[in-house]
Amino acid sequence: MAEAHQAVAFQFTITPEGIDLQLSHQALRQVYLSGVRSWKKRVTRLKNNVITGVYPASPSSWLFVVIAILATMYTRSDPSMGLIAKIQEHLPVSDSLSIQCRTVVSAVLFSTLLWFSLIFTMRLCLKQLLSYHGWMFEQHGKVSNTTKIWAGMVRIFSGRQPLLYSYQGSLPNLPVPAVKDTVKRYLESARLLMSDSEYERMKTLAKEFESSLGNRLQWYLKLKALWASNYVSDWWEEYVYLRGRGPLMVNSNYYGMDFLYVTPTPIQAARAGNTLHACLLYRRKLNREEIKPSRVPVLNVPLCAAQCERIFNTTRIPGEETDSLIHWQDSEYVAVFHRGRYFRLWLYHAGRLLSPREIEHQIQHILDDPSPPVPGEAKLAALTAGDRIPWAQARKEFFSSGVNKRSLDCIEKAAFFVALDDDEQGMMGDDPAGNLDRYAKSLLHGKCYDRWFDKSFTVVVYKNGKNGLNAEHSWADAPIMAHVWEYVMTTDCFQLGYNEEGHCKGDVASSLPPPTRLSWDIPVACQERIERSLAVAQTLADDVDFHVLPIQDFGKGAIKKCKISPDAFIQIALQLAYYRNRGSFTLTYEASMTRLFREGRTETVRSCTSESCTFVRALEDGESKEVCQHLFRTAAEKHQQMYRMAMTGGGIDRHLFCLYIVSKYLGEESPFLKEVLSETWRLSTSQTPLQQVELFDFVNHPDYTTCGGGFGPVADDGYGVSYIIIGENMINLHISCKHSCPQTDSHKFGADIKKALMDLLELMSPEKPDPSKAEQNHTKNRKKDL
């Protein structure tokens, strides 16, 4: 009980002689230091708000403007053209202020107004400059004089040393495309997937919509675009994510993997120590806004950072009609799950962040705890894995008061969730490929009750030291979480490191209080709800067919030699593979970001185009190499054009989605919009970009290769494909589908994708690739996990 006494700042006992008051100086010191840390964060946040608020100017520039105005006044010239005198006339009369002092005060006020006017003008100019996207449509390697002048002006108006959120006020708003343009692009994308009669019918519906209801809906949408920062994002978050009533697990959440070939330490507690410490280092940089703003490579065009605000201390709260996202300003602990028990692990002590070695010590304390879970506790998290309505009802009925509410609050207000698994995962043993697939499935859904799927993200650490994460999707898109995970992985291995025994470096303070076990009182009725949610989640998890396919000695370097965009190359390969796999083409979803605009999230690139289909048919029909090469380049250019349009606000699907939402608000039915929004994406794809290339050294450390991450299938009879291009010589694919569909097989589709990639490379490359050599190198470089 010693640690319990240390947690109490004072105790008092009522005796016949009076009140006996005992103060715990150690506890009071902890309270004091915690308060100091909290106030430091507030001061830092206030300072950053001031710096960001006046960007692209700096606070010190105010002093420069004031001095300049005062200096010109002493030369008996009036830079204000009489405004300083006007301000002086309206100052309140005071005997304590001389005429000279009143003049100085008036000059300072004028200087401040002038300074704010200059800031507003610079920010407006930068916003107009960032609204120009002509640079994106220029041929690779050829930059026009217009773009060169534009890039120079952007550098001039961008200021120096921006903080993470410095550009937020200067980013342009997402434009609303014209209805006729969106309808035209939609019909073009839909033509190849419809018969002549179906297309004529859809064309008629589209023209009716464009000439009647579409214009009315567009008016409301333009009104929203003038008022809101982004006319899409809030509705996208609400109606696509938060109003979904099905399970988050598999359907929405996604995962990220550890290094492919290397496990830095086999000690579970040590790996958790470094991983958690690295996460908190990232959060500290985030709170201080020391993370560099993300930019488009080459021209360094800034991207919106709004999604970064909710990485930590965020939880999705279930509701019967819609969920809600709750974000807390700070949290000094994480919630940890191990063998059916929940713990609160404080990550700060005496106002400082625990060292990796201290966190390892605390994690080991949890691993060594022999206490069993109380009835209903072990599978409690299954509520977050099942349908949302039963979870919302159970939360309201069983977790709205008492000990259950306190423990649930502890989990939901944690910085993030940590799962310590007793399983061993990774590409290891006699079946490395099969184990890699099982590793992906474990991260995606686990046992359906050992991940808290409502948290912004869950860090998973396995018994053999392998780690990974599972992330909730509504608060942000995958590149945001990938940025965090890149930092965590590289900081863990290359900065924090481990000693010779595999433990974290550093010492352990003797006064650390141990982690606190959370208490629960779960009645039988609630346990039955948990079992029902677990049954729903388990059925969903068992149906997932997953395959992770690393392809070595084939990557960006080989594709660049063909002078083709790597993303276009892979997307056309996916079309070829799907055609060979299913004998037909299908509506294809590729995620593209719209973060060139304020609060931008994603847009859809409809990768199945008439150009790509023409090429695939020509290749499969045995057309000449020259004809196929020409058709392939045409298809690649078309894909790049569509990708650029999506990034610059000219996409199809988000505009149609918002028009549909407006129609629902107005109570209007649109057969055209209804059919468009009900289309099935049987091939859903996404590229995970490697954003912080400078953190990875694939030349000197080729084994430290990140594997990327993946997601579950979107359609019951379709595929989900995530891919990441690693360096010049590697592509990792994550392929998902469902066992219940007899037409889908993740391993067969993976083989089809690999063959399609090699066939396209053979078609476009002057040098014929050697698949056997690639496979030999892949086997040679594969290493067992430590």
Side-chain angles (χ1 to χ4, degrees):
M1 296 295 292
E3 60 271 13
H5 286 292
Q6 291 175 1
V8 181
F10 66 92
Q11 303 175 24
F12 66 91
T13 304
I14 300 177
T15 66
E17 290 77 19
I19 298 177
D20 180 19
L21 180 64
Q22 298 178 354
L23 294 177
S24 171
H25 296 286
Q26 183 178 2
L28 288 175
R29 182 173 180 273
Q30 298 300 323
V31 171
Y32 166 75
L33 292 174
S34 180
V36 168
R37 174 183 171 273
S38 177
W39 277 104
K40 283 182 178 179
K41 287 191 62 176
R42 293 182 187 180
V43 171
T44 300
R45 192 177 294 119
L46 177 62
K47 181 191 72 173
N48 289 339
N49 287 341
V50 171
I51 295 174
T52 301
V54 302
Y55 193 83
S58 63
S60 59
S61 63
W62 172 81
L63 185 60
F64 174 80
V65 173
V66 171
I67 293 174
I69 295 297
L70 291 174
T72 55
M73 289 183 64
Y74 279 106
T75 60
R76 302 201 178 272
S77 60
D78 186 5
S80 70
M81 294 181 291
L83 287 177
I84 293 178
K86 288 286 186 183
I87 294 174
Q88 186 173 353
E89 290 177 5
H90 290 83
L91 286 178
V93 179
S94 175
D95 296 335
S96 60
L97 287 178
S98 63
I99 296 178
Q100 188 175 8
C101 288
R102 288 164 58 86
T103 303
V104 171
V105 171
S106 302
V108 170
L109 290 175
F110 170 77
S111 301
T112 303
L113 292 174
L114 177 62
W115 182 61
F116 278 119
S117 300
L118 290 173
I119 292 172
F120 177 79
T121 303
M122 291 178 67
R123 185 171 289 184
L124 186 62
C125 290
L126 183 58
K127 189 171 187 175
Q128 292 301 314
L129 287 169
L130 295 178
S131 299
Y132 168 76
H133 300 119
W135 56 273
M136 188 173 289
F137 295 89
E138 294 179 350
Q139 188 175 351
H140 182 70
K142 295 183 179 180
V143 182
S144 66
N145 291 330
T146 301
T147 298
K148 289 178 181 177
I149 295 172
W150 167 82
M153 294 183 69
V154 169
R155 282 194 293 270
I156 292 172
F157 284 97
S158 290
R160 298 180 180 179
Q161 298 179 341
L163 298 176
L164 176 61
Y165 302 116
S166 291
Y167 289 108
Q168 292 303 104
S170 302
L171 291 173
N173 291 359
L174 182 68
V176 182
V179 173
K180 64 177 182 178
D181 293 338
T182 298
V183 169
K184 178 182 177 181
R185 287 194 287 268
Y186 167 76
L187 290 174
E188 180 185 347
S189 71
R191 177 66 187 95
L192 59 107
L193 300 173
M194 296 180 179
S195 65
D196 292 342
S197 59
E198 290 173 337
Y199 178 72
E200 288 301 322
R201 176 179 170 275
M202 183 58 77
K203 191 175 179 181
T204 301
L205 292 176
K207 287 190 177 297
E208 290 178 357
F209 171 77
E210 180 183 338
S211 60
S212 57
L213 181 60
N215 291 325
R216 184 182 172 199
L217 301 180
Q218 180 80 346
W219 186 86
Y220 283 97
L221 213 53
K222 286 186 174 180
L223 188 64
K224 184 190 177 187
L226 290 174
W227 176 254
S229 301
N230 190 295
Y231 80 92
V232 175
S233 294
D234 58 338
W235 284 350
W236 184 254
E237 180 178 297
E238 174 72 16
Y239 293 103
V240 172
Y241 292 113
L242 298 180
R243 283 187 180 264
R245 300 294 81 197
L248 303 183
M249 185 196 76
V250 176
N251 294 329
S252 179
N253 285 27
Y254 57 92
Y255 69 86
M257 279 186 163
D258 193 6
F259 292 112
L260 186 59
Y261 302 119
V262 172
T263 305
T265 177
I267 302 174
Q268 184 178 19
R271 191 72 197 280
N274 266 8
T275 301
L276 269 59
H277 186 81
C279 286
L280 271 296
L281 291 178
Y282 188 95
R283 188 177 72 162
R284 185 165 66 185
K285 290 170 69 72
L286 184 68
N287 290 337
R288 296 175 179 176
E289 299 185 31
E290 295 174 349
I291 297 170
K292 294 180 181 179
S294 296
R295 302 171 185 265
V296 176
V298 184
L299 292 176
N300 291 322
V301 181
L303 301 177
C304 178
Q307 296 179 54
C308 297
E309 297 174 355
R310 298 185 292 188
I311 295 175
F312 297 93
N313 327 322
T314 300
T315 299
R316 178 168 170 168
I317 305 297
E320 294 193 33
E321 292 185 4
T322 182
D323 292 353
S324 57
L325 281 171
I326 306 297
H327 172 72
W328 290 269
Q329 284 293 336
D330 193 19
S331 180
E332 297 188 350
Y333 64 90
V334 292
V336 182
F337 177 88
H338 177 245
R339 291 183 182 173
R341 296 89 44 81
Y342 292 84
F343 297 83
R344 184 208 301 258
L345 171 59
W346 293 97
L347 295 173
Y348 291 85
H349 180 71
R352 64 172 179 83
L353 174 62
L354 296 187
S355 70
R357 186 70 181 90
E358 289 173 328
I359 298 177
E360 177 188 350
H361 175 77
Q362 299 289 73
I363 292 291
Q364 192 61 54
H365 190 284
I366 293 174
L367 295 174
D368 295 338
D369 190 317
S371 60
V374 300
E377 180 184 13
K379 299 178 180 179
L380 174 63
L383 290 170
T384 70
D387 292 322
R388 303 304 290 173
I389 294 177
W391 171 210
Q393 294 171 342
R395 187 177 188 276
K396 183 178 180 180
E397 185 174 350
F398 302 109
F399 299 90
S400 58
S401 63
V403 64
N404 287 345
K405 184 181 188 304
R406 289 194 295 272
S407 294
L408 181 62
D409 283 347
C410 179
I411 294 174
E412 293 180 340
K413 294 180 180 180
F416 51 92
F417 194 78
V418 180
L420 302 174
D421 279 20
D422 280 340
D423 300 331
E424 295 186 358
Q425 297 291 350
M427 195 171 74
M428 58 186 183
D430 297 330
D431 183 19
N435 286 330
L436 192 58
D437 296 343
R438 286 183 280 273
Y439 175 28
K441 277 180 64 68
S442 175
L443 288 173
L444 183 65
H445 55 67
K447 297 176 181 176
C448 303
Y449 58 80
D450 51 358
R451 319 272 184 262
W452 199 269
F453 294 100
D454 287 356
K455 286 299 293 181
S456 55
F457 67 97
T458 295
V459 171
V460 184
V461 186
Y462 295 99
K463 188 176 181 179
N464 61 338
K466 212 70 181 170
N467 71 6
L469 64 87
N470 179 288
E472 203 274 320
H473 209 325
S474 63
W475 61 272
D477 301 309
I480 302 300
M481 200 64 235
H483 194 277
V484 180
W485 199 237
E486 288 172 7
Y487 176 89
V488 169
M489 286 195 299
T490 53
T491 301
D492 168 20
C493 294
F494 301 123
Q495 294 185 28
L496 300 177
Y498 301 88
N499 61 25
E500 294 179 355
E501 291 78 24
H503 293 283
C504 297
K505 298 176 181 178
D507 299 319
V508 180
S510 58
S511 59
L512 286 181
T516 307
R517 171 83 183 273
L518 300 186
S519 300
W520 305 93
D521 182 12
I522 302 175
V524 174
C526 183
Q527 295 176 38
E528 293 174 353
R529 303 274 187 95
I530 293 172
E531 290 297 331
R532 286 199 292 268
S533 290
L534 179 59
V536 171
Q538 194 66 59
T539 301
L540 180 60
D542 292 343
D543 198 21
V544 175
D545 177 17
F546 224 103
H547 181 41
V548 181
L549 178 61
I551 303 177
Q552 281 224 350
D553 285 345
F554 174 84
K556 186 166 56 177
I559 298 174
K560 282 181 176 178
K561 292 179 181 178
C562 304
K563 297 183 179 179
I564 300 289
S565 158
D567 185 70
F569 191 101
I570 296 173
Q571 284 292 327
I572 297 174
L574 291 174
Q575 294 301 316
L576 176 59
Y578 189 89
Y579 184 80
R580 290 172 173 174
N581 186 272
R582 300 289 289 271
S584 62
F585 298 103
T586 190
L587 190 63
T588 304
Y589 182 108
E590 182 189 5
S592 165
M593 64 92 174
T594 56
R595 290 171 61 202
L596 289 169
F597 304 97
R598 190 170 185 179
E599 296 182 15
R601 290 201 59 164
T602 61
E603 176 59 275
T604 304
V605 180
R606 293 178 169 236
S607 300
C608 185
T609 63
S610 58
E611 288 81 359
S612 65
C613 293
T614 301
F615 161 73
V616 169
R617 288 193 183 102
L619 185 67
E620 293 301 279
D621 290 343
E623 293 286 350
S624 67
K625 184 174 182 178
E626 290 74 16
V627 170
C628 290
Q629 285 178 337
H630 172 72
L631 292 175
F632 182 78
R633 293 192 183 278
T634 302
E637 282 299 321
K638 176 64 175 182
H639 178 270
Q640 283 299 97
Q641 179 71 10
M642 294 185 65
Y643 201 95
R644 293 169 184 137
M645 289 293 293
M647 285 185 65
T648 54
I652 301 169
D653 291 274
R654 298 301 179 269
H655 185 204
L656 293 176
F657 163 77
C658 288
L659 290 171
Y660 179 76
I661 297 299
V662 175
S663 73
K664 287 300 181 181
Y665 278 127
L666 296 179
E668 299 280 359
E669 284 294 330
S670 168
F672 170 70
L673 290 177
K674 187 176 181 179
E675 290 205 23
V676 171
L677 271 294
S678 63
E679 293 174 337
T680 302
W681 303 95
R682 289 187 175 86
L683 184 55
S684 182
T685 71
S686 178
Q687 179 184 176
T688 304
L690 189 63
Q691 302 169 76
Q692 302 168 90
V693 182
E694 69 280 1
L695 297 181
F696 296 87
D697 185 357
F698 297 123
V699 176
N700 297 318
H701 301 282
D703 295 333
Y704 287 85
T705 299
T706 176
C707 197
F711 53 89
V714 174
D716 291 338
D717 58 347
Y719 291 103
V721 181
S722 175
Y723 54 95
I724 181 171
I725 302 173
I726 305 295
E728 298 294 310
N729 301 308
M730 189 173 190
I731 297 175
N732 290 329
L733 294 162
H734 301 251
I735 305 159
S736 64
C737 61
K738 291 192 175 182
H739 290 295
S740 57
C741 178
Q743 287 81 34
T744 58
D745 185 314
S746 65
H747 289 76
K748 184 179 183 303
F749 192 47
D752 291 336
I753 295 174
K754 185 173 182 179
K755 186 177 187 307
L757 288 169
M758 300 308 297
D759 288 348
L760 293 184
L761 187 61
E762 181 179 5
L763 173 69
M764 302 303 296
S765 176
E767 297 180 4
K768 186 176 180 180
D770 186 355
S772 61
K773 179 180 178 182
E775 189 63 32
Q776 289 172 5
N777 288 335
H778 175 69
T779 305
K780 179 181 178 181
N781 289 332
R782 183 184 299 155
K783 295 188 176 183
K784 290 184 178 180
D785 286 347
L786 296 175

